[in-house]
Amino acid sequence: MQLYVQDAESSMEEIGTKLQTMYKGGRVDDQLILDIETYNNYSNFNVFAVRNPRELSACVPFDIDYDTLIGVDERQKLLAGEYVSSMGYEPRFERQVISVMFPLVDQNRLEGIIYIYFPLAKISELTNQEVLILFFSAFLFALVAAFLVSKGLRHIMRPLRDLQQAVDKMSAGDYNIHVPVSSMDEIGKLSQAFNEMAEAIHKEDEAQKTFLATVSHELRTPISYVKGYSEAIQSGMIKKEEQDETIGLLVREANRMERLTNELLQLARMNNEQEEELMLYPIPLAETLREVEQLMYPVVAKKNITLAVTLDDALIVMADEEKLKQIAINLIENAVNYSSEGSCITLQATQHGQFARVMIKDEGIGIPAEDLPHITERFYRVNKARSRSDGGSGLGLSIVDQLVKQQGATMTITSEVGKGTTVVVDVPVMEE
């Protein structure tokens, strides 16, 4: 309340001081009184001028005690050019009234005064007004905040609901799902990561189904042969002179099942080994490949194939010796299986930057260009009929591909139909 009174008094002081400048001295004329009354029509305060302070009672709508209003002290202040302020309760207005008198003085003679008064608002009125404004502002703010929060929650919860529904579908075995990504914030990145995970799981699930179906098919064929011919021998349907040939067929099919089973077990072990860090150590590459050459000599000699070997004895690589041998043996066996008798297979090991490059090149039947991207896939065959006849399972290059990756090496295969195939394996050399 005190601040409110001070503010009102300050405003009236400013107005009275400016109006005083309109008085030029001498008797207060009617024009000055008229000009001030005109100003009163546009002012928030009640302003008027009188020549005799006793005339105030006729100008204001409430009773004024002249002796109380202008006593000795007040008159001295007015004569000194100072304004006099007062405040009192006015029953007619039912509130406090603050008033300020500004003197119009000429040669120490009080020629008139400018009287300004203003009924102060009740403190309860001020409080009620402020509370009303505060309540309305708070209500408006709450509405805006509720709208923004509701909109934000919908924006946040919609992708979360989509994710929840997608998780439920995935839990039920449906991996072919996609969550829409509408933003690149944290939730959008989470949705994108979920889509990538779902796609990876879907591919793995399809690959697993294909793998199991292929394994079942590969095992069913030799098992059917073994079962059928065994029952034929047991029932006497095959003559004794033909039994040796039939038993030989059974042995070949049994060997094929054993080889397929061993390769499947090896793939399973390799998948488990990928979860563990493989220990690599320095190996003299030329010495390892010469051991492979000796192991493969009976195989190449059986088909009268020449194995041309050129090795750099200075090469020391970081690898696992047994796995490196298996890579070389499998690749040479493939070259022998798809090369004609009397041809040549080249085995080279040379320095190539930070790698030792092992190259195995044959003069065999070659691989069509459309098959090259798929030859490391499990059970993939280029010539299915030929693979069946020679016992190939379609797992050899898949095993080699995983062995190469475990060594931190890379493998590149190029081929031309009718001219042969070249396989290049780059193995990291030991850092000096």
Side-chain angles (χ1 to χ4, degrees), residues 289-423:
L289 293 180
R290 287 194 179 95
E291 291 180 9
V292 173
E293 178 186 5
Q294 293 176 0
L295 291 172
M296 295 304 299
Y297 179 77
V299 178
V300 297
K302 186 177 180 180
K303 291 187 69 172
N304 194 27
I305 293 176
T306 302
L307 184 59
V309 180
T310 305
L311 305 174
D312 184 349
D313 292 317
L315 291 173
I316 305 296
V317 297
M318 296 296 296
D320 180 284
E321 185 175 15
E322 292 303 318
K323 296 184 185 302
L324 189 60
K325 283 183 181 179
Q326 187 175 356
I327 291 172
I329 290 172
N330 284 10
L331 292 177
I332 293 174
E333 280 184 346
N334 268 0
V336 171
N337 290 336
Y338 296 101
S339 295
S340 58
E341 294 187 6
S343 62
C344 178
I345 296 175
T346 301
L347 173 61
Q348 289 184 354
T350 56
Q351 180 82 29
H352 189 78
Q354 298 298 317
F355 297 89
R357 173 157 291 181
V358 179
M359 184 184 72
I360 298 173
K361 182 179 180 180
D362 64 54
E363 300 172 351
I365 61 176
I367 303 170
E370 62 271 16
D371 292 312
L372 275 176
H374 306 286
I375 56 176
T376 58
E377 297 176 4
R378 296 174 182 178
F379 295 108
Y380 188 85
R381 291 191 178 99
V382 176
N383 187 335
K384 296 176 177 58
R386 179 176 174 83
S387 297
R388 297 279 180 139
S389 64
D390 60 26
S393 64
L395 292 174
L397 282 178
S398 179
I399 293 174
V400 170
D401 183 57
Q402 292 200 37
L403 289 172
V404 168
K405 292 176 180 177
Q406 286 181 347
Q407 308 289 311
T410 59
M411 179 173 66
T412 306
I413 303 176
T414 56
S415 185
E416 188 175 350
V417 177
K419 293 187 177 180
T421 302
T422 301
V423 181

Side-chain angles (χ1 to χ4, degrees), residues 47-99:
V47 185
F48 55 90
V50 296
R51 296 185 183 92
N52 188 346
R54 295 185 180 276
E55 299 175 3
L56 289 176
S57 297
C59 298
V60 298
F62 52 88
D63 295 331
I64 292 181
D65 187 349
Y66 174 77
D67 294 330
T68 303
L69 181 63
I70 303 179
V72 176
D73 294 336
E74 286 76 11
R75 187 173 184 82
Q76 291 299 322
K77 290 180 67 175
L78 291 174
L79 287 173
E82 300 178 9
Y83 70 89
V84 175
S85 64
S86 64
M87 184 174 65
Y89 181 78
E90 175 52 48
R92 180 172 180 176
F93 296 139
E94 296 183 353
R95 65 189 66 193
Q96 296 283 343
V97 173
I98 183 172
S99 62

Side-chain angles (χ1 to χ4, degrees), residues 210-224:
T210 303
F211 177 74
L212 292 175
T214 307
V215 169
S216 301
H217 177 73
E218 292 294 329
L219 289 175
R220 184 165 54 248
T221 301
I223 288 175
S224 298

Side-chain angles (χ1 to χ4, degrees), residues 2-17:
Q2 183 65 28
L3 292 176
Y4 175 51
V5 172
Q6 291 177 356
D7 181 67
E9 184 176 352
S10 176
S11 299
M12 288 190 289
E13 178 186 355
E14 182 180 355
I15 293 172
T17 302

Side-chain angles (χ1 to χ4, degrees), residues 249-273:
L249 176 62
L250 294 176
V251 171
R252 285 197 303 273
E253 291 301 318
N255 288 335
R256 189 150 76 93
M257 283 191 294
E258 181 184 21
R259 186 161 54 250
L260 176 61
T261 304
N262 290 336
E263 289 176 343
L264 290 172
L265 290 174
Q266 184 176 5
L267 280 174
R269 286 196 301 269
M270 289 170 62
N271 288 334
N272 292 331
E273 288 175 356

Side-chain angles (χ1 to χ4, degrees), residues 231-262:
E231 290 176 350
I233 293 175
Q234 187 180 31
S235 62
M237 294 178 61
I238 299 178
K239 298 178 182 180
K240 291 186 177 181
E241 58 270 17
E242 297 177 354
Q243 287 184 1
D244 290 341
E245 181 181 353
T246 303
I247 292 172
L249 176 62
L250 294 176
V251 171
R252 285 197 303 273
E253 291 301 318
N255 288 335
R256 189 150 76 93
M257 283 191 294
E258 181 184 21
R259 186 161 54 250
L260 176 61
T261 304
N262 290 336

